[in-house]
């Protein structure tokens, strides 16, 4: 009889016979099992002991939610402390994607309760699909009390909906000063790629234009938060604490509300811009652009219908025509021509016989009147094209360009508003660089009257003529008082908005007096092109400009129409020398420069009347003749006087 096999050392083979297991394999299996147990025990120890604090924090996070407390933006005031932009309390609805596995199942109920189309909610979700899942998504702003009640009543069914108290912007009605003030809106994906917005998150509200954009870092406060205890359904059970938000800093603008109102009223129903500056300091007293837009529409979620209305408007309501419209200045450019001609010693002794135009390089250049013998003293009030054609021909384009650039044309002024345009001041170098063509002498003739390739913005023209009337001293235009921001912020703004800034040009006293006296005759003498806009008892000076928008041949082919009428310019000031205010007016397709002069007169009159009231010398407001685009003839003057130019 065979001895029995030890079961710990044998196994049953395929033939039914017991086989012996080698001791080495048995020991290896035992070691492997022991190693696995050791790993499991070590992992369990790390989770239960070393990771206890971490998992405790994660557990707390499941019951504690950080609710942001959005900081209100700083308010905006005019120079006298009158409120322009305020905030008002509002409630917004946010979507918490972490609270639900499949948001699509809840969309029909959310759509009905918040009165939002399902496709709009889906578009919002697509917009934020790349954002971290823990980030709340702004679903609807300014929700109604009924919508708030809906959210509270459906806490268990819709734990993903959360409300947040916010402060929303409240702008003036009817687009008042909209281009100057700007608006706020949600930060865009393109903006987030800009290092300037490195510390912003999707959904944050930032300034998108005007003062709101330039001074966003000043107006924007620091958000706070509160720790809220919630249950598994997201319902609040209590509070643990909070960090208060720090409101943004209030800003005081250089704008004078009374002057701004006068400018807005003058532009009503028109397309164009008005800029009023204090030439002594560069402070912007008023800045208006038409057509305008309602910034209140942009501060929330912009509706498609309003956006389509803005986009389809051929007059471009979002364009700030005061700083961005680049158009030929017409005869307002003759003041720069006069500076160049007098400083070069050419214009003083120049006499031109105007018989309705002159021929240069085989081409006849027309003047709108037969002015007879003209010199520098009456060429400006007459606005005689023939005189300035001749002067331009004698100066040459590069001399003209040198003086124009010295007063700031063809470059930004450095005003603290975004996206300022440069305008164009042509020269031989400019044409070679941009068009790769030589400059022809005949092109200079049109430049002499502010036509051809020369373009300016209203703010450039206001700074240029205001500086000339101030004896050659030019200041950087600005809409916020420098002491309203820190020196560091001010330096950063100047770096971000480069321009001609603070400059001085040599302008002899004699030449200065010739130019300013001639500008006073534009409005104060019956021979002046803006005599219809003169103001009794006010030393009101300026220069008109009527800039064609197409050639005479193109005009004949077009068949006419409002859009073919010339742009009407005027730059005026008071007093004529070292003025306290300079006003530049652009009225697109306003026909004649004297029409824009009447608009400027309304602003000048409001300014002077306010100064006199402060001094206790009250007078009645002057009546300024209303301007119309159909006013195609010059203002009537006594028959015994020379007939003024149609400008």
């Amino acid at each position: 009889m065979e001895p029995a096999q030890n079961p710990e050392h044998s196994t049953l083979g395929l033939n039914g016979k017991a086989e012996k297991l080698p001791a080495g394999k048995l020991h290896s299996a035992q070691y492997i099992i022991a190693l696995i147990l050791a790993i499991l025990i070590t992992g369990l120890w790390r989770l239960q002991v070393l990771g206890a604090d971490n998992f405790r924090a994660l557990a707390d996070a499941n019951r504690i939610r950080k609710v942001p407390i959005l900081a209100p933006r700083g308010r905006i005031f005019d120079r006298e402390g009158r409120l322009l932009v305020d905030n008002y309390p509002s409630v917004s609805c946010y979507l918490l994607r972490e609270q639900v596995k499949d948001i699509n199942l809840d969309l029909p109920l959310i759509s009905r309760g918040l009165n939002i189309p399902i496709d709009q909610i889906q578009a919002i979700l697509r917009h934020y699909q790349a954002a971290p899942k823990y980030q709340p998504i702004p679903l609807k702003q300014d929700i109604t009390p009924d919508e708030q009640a809906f959210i509270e009543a459906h806490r268990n069914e819709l734990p993903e909906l959360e409300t947040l108290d916010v402060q929303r912007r409240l702008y003036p009605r009817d687009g008042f000063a909209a281009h100057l003030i700007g608006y706020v809106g949600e930060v865009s994906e393109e903006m987030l790629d800009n290092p300037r917005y490195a510390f912003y998150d999707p959904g944050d509200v930032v300034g998108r234009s005007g003062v709101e954009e330039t001074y966003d870092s000043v107006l924007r406060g620091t958000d706070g938060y509160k720790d809220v205890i919630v249950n598994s359904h997201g319902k609040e059970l209590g509070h643990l604490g909070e960090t208060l938000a720090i409101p943004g800093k209030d800003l005081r603008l250089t704008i004078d509300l009374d002057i701004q109102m006068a400018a807005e009223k003058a532009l009503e129903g028109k397309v164009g811009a008005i800029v009023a500056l204090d030439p002594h300091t560069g402070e912007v007293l008023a800045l208006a652009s038409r057509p305008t837009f309602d910034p209140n529409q942009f501060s929330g979620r912009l509706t498609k219908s309003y956006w389509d209305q803005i986009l389809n408007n051929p007059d471009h309501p979002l364009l700030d025509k005061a700083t961005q419209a680049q158009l030929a200045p017409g005869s307002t450019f003759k003041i720069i021509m006069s500076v160049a001609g007098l400083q070069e010693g050419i214009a003083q002794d120049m006499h031109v016989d105007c018989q309705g135009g002159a021929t240069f390089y085989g081409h006849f250049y027309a003047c709108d009147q037969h002015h007879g013998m003209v010199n520098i003293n009456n060429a400006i009030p007459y606005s005689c094209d023939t005189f300035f054609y001749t002067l331009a021909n004698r100066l040459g384009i590069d001399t003209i360009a040198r003086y124009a650039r010295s007063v700031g044309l063809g470059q930004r002024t450095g005003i603290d508003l975004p996206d300022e345009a440069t305008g164009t001041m042509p020269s031989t170098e400019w044409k070679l660089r941009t068009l790769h063509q030589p400059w022809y002498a005949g092109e200079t003739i049109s430049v002499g009257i502010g036509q051809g390739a020369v373009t300016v913005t209203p703010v450039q023209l206001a700074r240029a003529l205001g500086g000339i009337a101030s004896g050659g001293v030019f200041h950087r235009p600005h809409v916020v008082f420098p002491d309203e921001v820190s020196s560091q912020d001010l330096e950063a703004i100047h770096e971000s908005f480069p321009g001609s800034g603070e400059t001085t040009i040599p302008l002899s006293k004699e030449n200065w007096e010739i130019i300013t006296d001639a500008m006073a005759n534009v409005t104060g003498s019956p021979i002046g092109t803006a005599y219809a806009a003169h103001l009794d008892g006010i030393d009101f000076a300026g220069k008109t400009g009527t800039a064609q928008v197409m050639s005479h041949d193109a005009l004949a082919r077009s068949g006419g129409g409002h859009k073919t009428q010339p742009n009407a310019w005027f730059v005026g000031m008071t007093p004529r020398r070292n003025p306290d205010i300079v006003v530049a007016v652009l009225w697109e397709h306003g026909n004649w420069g004297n029409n824009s002069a009447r608009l400027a007169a309304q602003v000048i009159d409001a300014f002077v009347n306010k100064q006199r009231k402060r001094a206790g010398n009250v007078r009645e407001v002057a009546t300024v003749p209303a301007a119309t685009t159909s006013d195609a003839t010059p203002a009537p003057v006594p028959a015994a006087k020379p007939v003024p130019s149609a400008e």
Side-chain angles (χ1 to χ4, degrees), residues 88 141 168-172 175 182-185 293-307 309-310 318:
Y88 70 93
Q141 298 178 335
R168 287 191 61 192
R169 268 319 208 201
L170 182 62
Y171 295 105
Y183 63 92
V184 294
F293 62 94
D294 183 4
N296 293 293
Q297 294 277 352
F298 289 82
S299 62
R301 187 167 294 278
L302 186 64
T303 63
K304 185 178 185 302
S305 60
Y306 188 76
W307 181 240
Q309 177 185 336
I310 292 292
L318 292 180

mmCIF file of all heavy atoms in Angstrom, residues 88 141 168-172 175 182-185 293-307 309-310 318:
data_model
loop_
_atom_site.group_PDB
_atom_site.id
_atom_site.type_symbol
_atom_site.label_atom_id
_atom_site.label_comp_id
_atom_site.label_asym_id
_atom_site.label_seq_id
_atom_site.Cartn_x
_atom_site.Cartn_y
_atom_site.Cartn_z
ATOM 1 N N TYR A 88 -27.220 100.407 -10.355
ATOM 2 C CA TYR A 88 -28.471 100.070 -9.689
ATOM 3 C C TYR A 88 -28.456 98.577 -9.346
ATOM 4 O O TYR A 88 -27.837 97.769 -10.040
ATOM 5 C CB TYR A 88 -29.675 100.428 -10.555
ATOM 6 C CG TYR A 88 -29.873 99.573 -11.783
ATOM 7 C CD1 TYR A 88 -30.696 98.446 -11.748
ATOM 8 C CD2 TYR A 88 -29.250 99.891 -12.976
ATOM 9 C CE1 TYR A 88 -30.882 97.656 -12.869
ATOM 10 C CE2 TYR A 88 -29.427 99.113 -14.107
ATOM 11 C CZ TYR A 88 -30.246 98.001 -14.047
ATOM 12 O OH TYR A 88 -30.415 97.226 -15.154
ATOM 13 N N GLN A 141 -29.591 88.192 -17.071
ATOM 14 C CA GLN A 141 -29.420 89.332 -16.176
ATOM 15 C C GLN A 141 -30.744 90.040 -15.965
ATOM 16 O O GLN A 141 -31.670 89.915 -16.773
ATOM 17 C CB GLN A 141 -28.379 90.303 -16.754
ATOM 18 C CG GLN A 141 -27.004 89.696 -16.900
ATOM 19 C CD GLN A 141 -25.997 90.654 -17.509
ATOM 20 O OE1 GLN A 141 -26.379 91.565 -18.225
ATOM 21 N NE2 GLN A 141 -24.729 90.438 -17.237
ATOM 22 N N ARG A 168 -25.606 96.869 -11.695
ATOM 23 C CA ARG A 168 -25.517 97.085 -13.135
ATOM 24 C C ARG A 168 -25.404 98.571 -13.443
ATOM 25 O O ARG A 168 -25.859 99.424 -12.676
ATOM 26 C CB ARG A 168 -26.737 96.494 -13.835
ATOM 27 C CG ARG A 168 -26.727 94.972 -13.899
ATOM 28 C CD ARG A 168 -27.806 94.469 -14.822
ATOM 29 N NE ARG A 168 -27.604 94.958 -16.185
ATOM 30 C CZ ARG A 168 -28.524 94.856 -17.138
ATOM 31 N NH1 ARG A 168 -29.704 94.338 -16.869
ATOM 32 N NH2 ARG A 168 -28.270 95.302 -18.339
ATOM 33 N N ARG A 169 -24.803 98.851 -14.603
ATOM 34 C CA ARG A 169 -24.596 100.228 -15.022
ATOM 35 C C ARG A 169 -25.905 100.884 -15.442
ATOM 36 O O ARG A 169 -26.753 100.268 -16.108
ATOM 37 C CB ARG A 169 -23.649 100.270 -16.216
ATOM 38 C CG ARG A 169 -22.152 100.433 -15.918
ATOM 39 C CD ARG A 169 -21.867 101.387 -14.857
ATOM 40 N NE ARG A 169 -20.554 102.023 -14.986
ATOM 41 C CZ ARG A 169 -19.933 102.575 -13.989
ATOM 42 N NH1 ARG A 169 -20.487 102.581 -12.789
ATOM 43 N NH2 ARG A 169 -18.761 103.150 -14.153
ATOM 44 N N LEU A 170 -26.045 102.150 -15.072
ATOM 45 C CA LEU A 170 -27.188 102.958 -15.490
ATOM 46 C C LEU A 170 -26.659 104.194 -16.199
ATOM 47 O O LEU A 170 -26.079 105.090 -15.577
ATOM 48 C CB LEU A 170 -28.035 103.364 -14.279
ATOM 49 C CG LEU A 170 -29.305 104.170 -14.587
ATOM 50 C CD1 LEU A 170 -30.260 103.346 -15.459
ATOM 51 C CD2 LEU A 170 -30.002 104.590 -13.306
ATOM 52 N N TYR A 171 -26.812 104.225 -17.524
ATOM 53 C CA TYR A 171 -26.285 105.307 -18.353
ATOM 54 C C TYR A 171 -27.370 106.339 -18.646
ATOM 55 O O TYR A 171 -28.565 106.056 -18.532
ATOM 56 C CB TYR A 171 -25.745 104.740 -19.662
ATOM 57 C CG TYR A 171 -24.547 103.840 -19.488
ATOM 58 C CD1 TYR A 171 -24.664 102.452 -19.612
ATOM 59 C CD2 TYR A 171 -23.292 104.364 -19.192
ATOM 60 C CE1 TYR A 171 -23.574 101.626 -19.456
ATOM 61 C CE2 TYR A 171 -22.188 103.539 -19.037
ATOM 62 C CZ TYR A 171 -22.341 102.171 -19.167
ATOM 63 O OH TYR A 171 -21.255 101.360 -18.997
ATOM 64 N N PRO A 172 -26.960 107.537 -19.078
ATOM 65 C CA PRO A 172 -27.960 108.547 -19.473
ATOM 66 C C PRO A 172 -28.843 108.038 -20.601
ATOM 67 O O PRO A 172 -28.444 107.190 -21.404
ATOM 68 C CB PRO A 172 -27.097 109.731 -19.925
ATOM 69 C CG PRO A 172 -25.791 109.547 -19.238
ATOM 70 C CD PRO A 172 -25.588 108.069 -19.140
ATOM 71 N N GLY A 175 -28.776 107.874 -25.446
ATOM 72 C CA GLY A 175 -27.410 107.860 -25.959
ATOM 73 C C GLY A 175 -26.620 109.109 -25.656
ATOM 74 O O GLY A 175 -25.642 109.420 -26.348
ATOM 75 N N GLY A 182 -18.805 105.555 -23.145
ATOM 76 C CA GLY A 182 -18.609 104.152 -23.491
ATOM 77 C C GLY A 182 -19.645 103.273 -22.815
ATOM 78 O O GLY A 182 -20.694 103.738 -22.357
ATOM 79 N N TYR A 183 -19.349 101.983 -22.745
ATOM 80 C CA TYR A 183 -20.270 101.032 -22.123
ATOM 81 C C TYR A 183 -19.472 99.845 -21.595
ATOM 82 O O TYR A 183 -18.273 99.700 -21.881
ATOM 83 C CB TYR A 183 -21.334 100.561 -23.124
ATOM 84 C CG TYR A 183 -20.778 99.808 -24.317
ATOM 85 C CD1 TYR A 183 -20.656 98.418 -24.298
ATOM 86 C CD2 TYR A 183 -20.375 100.471 -25.466
ATOM 87 C CE1 TYR A 183 -20.144 97.723 -25.386
ATOM 88 C CE2 TYR A 183 -19.871 99.799 -26.560
ATOM 89 C CZ TYR A 183 -19.760 98.419 -26.513
ATOM 90 O OH TYR A 183 -19.246 97.744 -27.584
ATOM 91 N N VAL A 184 -20.121 99.009 -20.801
ATOM 92 C CA VAL A 184 -19.485 97.793 -20.295
ATOM 93 C C VAL A 184 -20.150 96.589 -20.939
ATOM 94 O O VAL A 184 -21.296 96.645 -21.382
ATOM 95 C CB VAL A 184 -19.570 97.694 -18.763
ATOM 96 C CG1 VAL A 184 -18.765 98.787 -18.096
ATOM 97 C CG2 VAL A 184 -21.016 97.708 -18.281
ATOM 98 N N GLY A 185 -19.422 95.507 -20.987
ATOM 99 C CA GLY A 185 -19.950 94.275 -21.538
ATOM 100 C C GLY A 185 -19.088 93.110 -21.097
ATOM 101 O O GLY A 185 -18.040 93.278 -20.462
ATOM 102 N N PHE A 293 -25.913 105.648 -29.808
ATOM 103 C CA PHE A 293 -26.468 104.340 -29.447
ATOM 104 C C PHE A 293 -26.805 104.359 -27.964
ATOM 105 O O PHE A 293 -26.397 105.265 -27.231
ATOM 106 C CB PHE A 293 -25.466 103.220 -29.756
ATOM 107 C CG PHE A 293 -24.180 103.348 -28.979
ATOM 108 C CD1 PHE A 293 -24.004 102.691 -27.763
ATOM 109 C CD2 PHE A 293 -23.138 104.135 -29.457
ATOM 110 C CE1 PHE A 293 -22.830 102.819 -27.039
ATOM 111 C CE2 PHE A 293 -21.952 104.262 -28.743
ATOM 112 C CZ PHE A 293 -21.805 103.602 -27.526
ATOM 113 N N ASP A 294 -27.549 103.370 -27.518
ATOM 114 C CA ASP A 294 -27.940 103.275 -26.110
ATOM 115 C C ASP A 294 -26.997 102.320 -25.385
ATOM 116 O O ASP A 294 -27.093 101.098 -25.563
ATOM 117 C CB ASP A 294 -29.379 102.786 -25.994
ATOM 118 C CG ASP A 294 -29.871 102.733 -24.551
ATOM 119 O OD1 ASP A 294 -29.111 103.158 -23.658
ATOM 120 O OD2 ASP A 294 -30.999 102.264 -24.320
ATOM 121 N N PRO A 295 -26.069 102.817 -24.573
ATOM 122 C CA PRO A 295 -25.137 101.922 -23.878
ATOM 123 C C PRO A 295 -25.829 101.017 -22.875
ATOM 124 O O PRO A 295 -25.270 99.982 -22.500
ATOM 125 C CB PRO A 295 -24.169 102.888 -23.188
ATOM 126 C CG PRO A 295 -24.890 104.179 -23.103
ATOM 127 C CD PRO A 295 -25.817 104.233 -24.261
ATOM 128 N N ASN A 296 -27.033 101.375 -22.425
ATOM 129 C CA ASN A 296 -27.767 100.492 -21.517
ATOM 130 C C ASN A 296 -28.096 99.154 -22.178
ATOM 131 O O ASN A 296 -28.205 98.132 -21.502
ATOM 132 C CB ASN A 296 -29.058 101.166 -21.050
ATOM 133 C CG ASN A 296 -28.803 102.378 -20.178
ATOM 134 O OD1 ASN A 296 -28.299 102.270 -19.076
ATOM 135 N ND2 ASN A 296 -29.114 103.557 -20.706
ATOM 136 N N GLN A 297 -28.245 99.166 -23.509
ATOM 137 C CA GLN A 297 -28.509 97.931 -24.235
ATOM 138 C C GLN A 297 -27.296 97.000 -24.201
ATOM 139 O O GLN A 297 -27.430 95.783 -24.204
ATOM 140 C CB GLN A 297 -28.872 98.248 -25.698
ATOM 141 C CG GLN A 297 -30.169 98.997 -25.881
ATOM 142 C CD GLN A 297 -31.370 98.066 -25.882
ATOM 143 O OE1 GLN A 297 -31.235 96.847 -25.881
ATOM 144 N NE2 GLN A 297 -32.560 98.643 -25.867
ATOM 145 N N PHE A 298 -26.106 97.592 -24.153
ATOM 146 C CA PHE A 298 -24.882 96.802 -24.205
ATOM 147 C C PHE A 298 -24.448 96.306 -22.830
ATOM 148 O O PHE A 298 -23.677 95.355 -22.734
ATOM 149 C CB PHE A 298 -23.751 97.626 -24.816
ATOM 150 C CG PHE A 298 -23.908 97.863 -26.286
ATOM 151 C CD1 PHE A 298 -24.711 98.879 -26.760
ATOM 152 C CD2 PHE A 298 -23.250 97.067 -27.209
ATOM 153 C CE1 PHE A 298 -24.864 99.114 -28.117
ATOM 154 C CE2 PHE A 298 -23.393 97.282 -28.567
ATOM 155 C CZ PHE A 298 -24.197 98.305 -29.031
ATOM 156 N N SER A 299 -24.899 96.969 -21.768
ATOM 157 C CA SER A 299 -24.431 96.595 -20.439
ATOM 158 C C SER A 299 -25.016 95.264 -19.983
ATOM 159 O O SER A 299 -24.479 94.617 -19.093
ATOM 160 C CB SER A 299 -24.785 97.683 -19.425
ATOM 161 O OG SER A 299 -26.183 97.846 -19.325
ATOM 162 N N GLY A 300 -26.148 94.852 -20.579
ATOM 163 C CA GLY A 300 -26.701 93.531 -20.325
ATOM 164 C C GLY A 300 -26.378 92.615 -21.486
ATOM 165 O O GLY A 300 -25.370 92.780 -22.169
ATOM 166 N N ARG A 301 -27.209 91.620 -21.701
ATOM 167 C CA ARG A 301 -27.018 90.749 -22.866
ATOM 168 C C ARG A 301 -27.693 91.404 -24.056
ATOM 169 O O ARG A 301 -28.913 91.582 -24.077
ATOM 170 C CB ARG A 301 -27.567 89.352 -22.595
ATOM 171 C CG ARG A 301 -27.245 88.376 -23.720
ATOM 172 C CD ARG A 301 -27.513 86.961 -23.286
ATOM 173 N NE ARG A 301 -26.599 86.554 -22.224
ATOM 174 C CZ ARG A 301 -25.358 86.128 -22.429
ATOM 175 N NH1 ARG A 301 -24.893 86.070 -23.659
ATOM 176 N NH2 ARG A 301 -24.590 85.768 -21.430
ATOM 177 N N LEU A 302 -26.918 91.777 -25.045
ATOM 178 C CA LEU A 302 -27.402 92.525 -26.196
ATOM 179 C C LEU A 302 -28.387 91.694 -27.004
ATOM 180 O O LEU A 302 -28.121 90.537 -27.343
ATOM 181 C CB LEU A 302 -26.215 92.930 -27.069
ATOM 182 C CG LEU A 302 -26.486 93.834 -28.257
ATOM 183 C CD1 LEU A 302 -26.986 95.184 -27.795
ATOM 184 C CD2 LEU A 302 -25.205 94.006 -29.073
ATOM 185 N N THR A 303 -29.534 92.281 -27.313
ATOM 186 C CA THR A 303 -30.521 91.567 -28.116
ATOM 187 C C THR A 303 -30.128 91.594 -29.583
ATOM 188 O O THR A 303 -29.501 92.543 -30.061
ATOM 189 C CB THR A 303 -31.921 92.195 -27.960
ATOM 190 O OG1 THR A 303 -31.886 93.541 -28.464
ATOM 191 C CG2 THR A 303 -32.340 92.208 -26.497
ATOM 192 N N LYS A 304 -30.509 90.556 -30.295
ATOM 193 C CA LYS A 304 -30.170 90.458 -31.710
ATOM 194 C C LYS A 304 -30.829 91.564 -32.516
ATOM 195 O O LYS A 304 -30.223 92.126 -33.437
ATOM 196 C CB LYS A 304 -30.591 89.097 -32.257
ATOM 197 C CG LYS A 304 -30.174 88.858 -33.706
ATOM 198 C CD LYS A 304 -30.570 87.472 -34.164
ATOM 199 C CE LYS A 304 -30.049 87.201 -35.581
ATOM 200 N NZ LYS A 304 -30.520 88.177 -36.561
ATOM 201 N N SER A 305 -32.061 91.910 -32.156
ATOM 202 C CA SER A 305 -32.772 92.941 -32.921
ATOM 203 C C SER A 305 -32.067 94.288 -32.806
ATOM 204 O O SER A 305 -31.931 95.013 -33.806
ATOM 205 C CB SER A 305 -34.213 93.063 -32.428
ATOM 206 O OG SER A 305 -34.244 93.416 -31.050
ATOM 207 N N TYR A 306 -31.587 94.628 -31.594
ATOM 208 C CA TYR A 306 -30.912 95.915 -31.440
ATOM 209 C C TYR A 306 -29.564 95.888 -32.153
ATOM 210 O O TYR A 306 -29.159 96.884 -32.769
ATOM 211 C CB TYR A 306 -30.720 96.251 -29.959
ATOM 212 C CG TYR A 306 -30.203 97.659 -29.741
ATOM 213 C CD1 TYR A 306 -31.045 98.758 -29.870
ATOM 214 C CD2 TYR A 306 -28.860 97.902 -29.438
ATOM 215 C CE1 TYR A 306 -30.579 100.054 -29.701
ATOM 216 C CE2 TYR A 306 -28.384 99.191 -29.260
ATOM 217 C CZ TYR A 306 -29.250 100.261 -29.388
ATOM 218 O OH TYR A 306 -28.779 101.540 -29.233
ATOM 219 N N TRP A 307 -28.848 94.768 -32.067
ATOM 220 C CA TRP A 307 -27.562 94.658 -32.735
ATOM 221 C C TRP A 307 -27.721 94.778 -34.249
ATOM 222 O O TRP A 307 -26.930 95.447 -34.916
ATOM 223 C CB TRP A 307 -26.897 93.341 -32.362
ATOM 224 C CG TRP A 307 -25.548 93.129 -32.969
ATOM 225 C CD1 TRP A 307 -25.159 92.122 -33.793
ATOM 226 C CD2 TRP A 307 -24.381 93.956 -32.795
ATOM 227 N NE1 TRP A 307 -23.832 92.270 -34.153
ATOM 228 C CE2 TRP A 307 -23.338 93.376 -33.559
ATOM 229 C CE3 TRP A 307 -24.130 95.127 -32.078
ATOM 230 C CZ2 TRP A 307 -22.065 93.944 -33.612
ATOM 231 C CZ3 TRP A 307 -22.858 95.682 -32.142
ATOM 232 C CH2 TRP A 307 -21.847 95.089 -32.896
ATOM 233 N N GLN A 309 -30.073 96.372 -35.749
ATOM 234 C CA GLN A 309 -30.411 97.779 -35.999
ATOM 235 C C GLN A 309 -29.147 98.634 -36.062
ATOM 236 O O GLN A 309 -29.022 99.516 -36.920
ATOM 237 C CB GLN A 309 -31.333 98.269 -34.884
ATOM 238 C CG GLN A 309 -31.715 99.738 -34.983
ATOM 239 C CD GLN A 309 -32.538 100.187 -33.780
ATOM 240 O OE1 GLN A 309 -33.189 99.385 -33.119
ATOM 241 N NE2 GLN A 309 -32.490 101.474 -33.486
ATOM 242 N N ILE A 310 -28.206 98.372 -35.170
ATOM 243 C CA ILE A 310 -26.943 99.119 -35.162
ATOM 244 C C ILE A 310 -26.122 98.795 -36.403
ATOM 245 O O ILE A 310 -25.588 99.694 -37.076
ATOM 246 C CB ILE A 310 -26.139 98.779 -33.889
ATOM 247 C CG1 ILE A 310 -26.841 99.330 -32.642
ATOM 248 C CG2 ILE A 310 -24.726 99.327 -33.981
ATOM 249 C CD1 ILE A 310 -26.864 100.820 -32.530
ATOM 250 N N LEU A 318 -21.862 103.255 -33.886
ATOM 251 C CA LEU A 318 -20.808 102.921 -32.933
ATOM 252 C C LEU A 318 -19.518 103.688 -33.202
ATOM 253 O O LEU A 318 -18.620 103.702 -32.350
ATOM 254 C CB LEU A 318 -20.520 101.418 -32.957
ATOM 255 C CG LEU A 318 -21.630 100.513 -32.423
ATOM 256 C CD1 LEU A 318 -21.216 99.055 -32.512
ATOM 257 C CD2 LEU A 318 -21.982 100.875 -30.989
#
